[in-house]
Amino acid sequence: MIRIVVDTMPIDASVELALVEALPAGAVATFTGLVRADDGVATLTLEHYPGATEAALRAVAQRAMSRWSLLGATIIHRVGPMHPGDRIVFMAAAAPHRGDALAACAYLIDRLKTDAPFWKQETRGADARWVEARDSDHAAAARWND
């Protein structure tokens, strides 16, 4: 089971977790990303390319499913304007054993940061700027290269 959602609506982590926990797995690993208030960020706005973004996320999840013994992979990502403390991403990996669930969950977030076409704009007061991927994001994603 692969579940991919890109939406403007707030993420209900308890609902998403319940869907993954309904699978006959022995372990579920999750990651929830929150909007940070770094250096006074008041609003984080995410834009995406509909269709292409979902396809990129599905490809990441499919690679995780084939690399580890997973029963399910979920990626829920929010777009539009968000504020510090809002959930921006929720992901989960369900597997028979914790090792595969934990590794796959780490893989999902590391690859999402570089493989999915999202554009981030941070607003601080009257100043808005686009945010580029960090070198650390590329290094984290590269650790999964074969």
Side-chain angles (χ1 to χ4, degrees), residues 39 41 44 120-124 127-132:
D39 302 320
V41 170
L44 176 67
K120 295 180 183 181
Q121 185 181 59
E122 294 177 340
T123 303
R124 293 172 180 83
D127 180 45
R129 69 175 181 91
W130 292 100
V131 179
E132 297 292 326

Side-chain angles (χ1 to χ4, degrees), residues 33-123:
L34 307 174
V35 176
R36 296 183 307 264
D38 291 352
D39 302 320
V41 170
T43 305
L44 176 67
T45 302
L46 259 77
E47 295 183 7
H48 75 298
Y49 185 59
T53 302
E54 292 85 352
L57 294 175
R58 184 165 299 283
V60 167
Q62 287 170 331
R63 286 193 304 272
M65 294 285 288
S66 66
R67 188 169 182 161
W68 290 279
S69 180
L70 298 183
L71 299 170
T74 296
I75 302 173
I76 311 297
H77 210 295
R78 203 156 157 213
V79 292
M82 291 165 274
H83 301 93
D86 287 350
R87 289 184 188 107
I88 189 171
V89 64
F90 173 89
M91 52 189 50
H97 303 284
R98 72 178 179 270
D100 282 352
L102 290 166
C105 192
Y107 172 87
L108 291 172
I109 190 61
D110 287 346
R111 295 309 311 194
L112 173 145
K113 296 287 282 184
T114 58
D115 294 5
F118 288 105
W119 296 274
K120 295 180 183 181
Q121 185 181 59
E122 294 177 340
T123 303

